[in-house]
Amino acid sequence: MKAKNMTLVGLSILSVVFLMTLISAVITLDPISYSTSIEQGNSNSFTFTISSDGGINDQTVENLTVTFSEFASGTNVLASSNIAIDAMPPEILPDTTSSPITVVLSIPSSQAIGTYTGAIVITGVNNDTQVDIDPKTIDLTIEVTEATPEPETFAFCDEGAIDYSNLVLNVDIQNNGEGDD
């Protein structure tokens, strides 16, 4: 009798675990990682999409939120305020994919050079069960490089010249005979 009860308890636990996997919608992100190189003082952007399989009961995922992990390169940190993201869709319907969502990565000109790693974390709620879905991440690698210096301009007749648009070049060539140039 004792063995029978233990078997029933074990099967009950397995059944609950199995049912929990069926009631939750699953989202996927595309891409799941992104790498880029950005010069100090510049920015770059990329897009990603969110897809939902709807789970077994075609559930909608709603209340999508975004958080950022710390982006670090050794002891240097890129503030999350330098990462901007478009508004998240209010919901992802079953078996659909969102429109592209744009992420803009802005690197301050004073940011230390290095390779920064971090993640964008997407969470949401199953609208039928109000249970949080498993968070999904996009791993980011941002190589911050030294800004390319502005090219130097050649200043012809800088002294006293206000406008370079009407410069006139006069050349006087004299021939003093053979070999005496």
Side-chain angles (χ1 to χ4, degrees), residues 43-44 77-84 103-108 111 142:
S43 62
N44 192 355
V77 175
L78 175 64
S80 62
S81 60
N82 294 304
I83 303 169
V103 177
V104 178
L105 309 167
S106 299
I107 306 300
Q111 187 68 45
I142 305 166

Side-chain angles (χ1 to χ4, degrees), residues 10 16 18 45 47 57 98 102 107 112 127 141 178:
V16 168
F18 177 71
S45 65
T47 60
N57 293 325
S98 71
T102 302
I107 306 300
N127 75 334
T141 301
E178 282 188 44

Side-chain angles (χ1 to χ4, degrees), residues 67-72 77-80 83 117-121 138-139:
T67 55
F68 304 105
S69 72
E70 181 178 82
F71 286 84
V77 175
L78 175 64
S80 62
I83 303 169
T117 56
I120 298 173
V121 181
I138 300 173
D139 296 318

Side-chain angles (χ1 to χ4, degrees), residues 90-128:
E91 63 186 13
I92 303 292
L93 298 173
D95 300 316
T96 61
T97 299
S98 71
S99 296
I101 301 163
T102 302
V103 177
V104 178
L105 309 167
S106 299
I107 306 300
S109 48
S110 61
Q111 187 68 45
I113 295 169
T115 301
Y116 293 78
T117 56
I120 298 173
V121 181
I122 311 292
T123 58
V125 174
N126 178 322
N127 75 334
D128 287 344

Side-chain angles (χ1 to χ4, degrees), residues 18-160:
F18 177 71
L19 289 174
M20 290 299 289
T21 61
L22 294 178
I23 62 172
S24 182
V26 175
I27 63 168
T28 54
L29 305 176
D30 184 31
I32 59 170
S33 66
Y34 182 75
S35 295
T36 188
S37 179
I38 308 172
E39 287 185 356
Q40 295 167 317
N42 288 301
S43 62
N44 192 355
S45 65
F46 73 96
T47 60
F48 70 94
T49 58
I50 305 171
S51 300
S52 172
D53 71 357
I56 197 163
N57 293 325
D58 287 335
Q59 297 131 352
T60 298
V61 177
E62 58 187 11
N63 299 330
L64 293 161
T65 57
V66 177
T67 55
F68 304 105
S69 72
E70 181 178 82
F71 286 84
S73 175
T75 58
N76 298 313
V77 175
L78 175 64
S80 62
S81 60
N82 294 304
I83 303 169
I85 192 164
D86 280 354
M88 294 294 289
E91 63 186 13
I92 303 292
L93 298 173
D95 300 316
T96 61
T97 299
S98 71
S99 296
I101 301 163
T102 302
V103 177
V104 178
L105 309 167
S106 299
I107 306 300
S109 48
S110 61
Q111 187 68 45
I113 295 169
T115 301
Y116 293 78
T117 56
I120 298 173
V121 181
I122 311 292
T123 58
V125 174
N126 178 322
N127 75 334
D128 287 344
T129 62
Q130 294 304 304
V131 173
D132 291 342
I133 61 169
D134 290 333
K136 300 296 180 182
T137 61
I138 300 173
D139 296 318
L140 290 180
T141 301
I142 305 166
E143 182 183 355
V144 176
T145 59
E146 187 174 3
T148 304
E150 291 291 322
E152 292 185 28
T153 56
F154 177 71
F156 183 74
C157 300
D158 259 348
E159 198 170 309

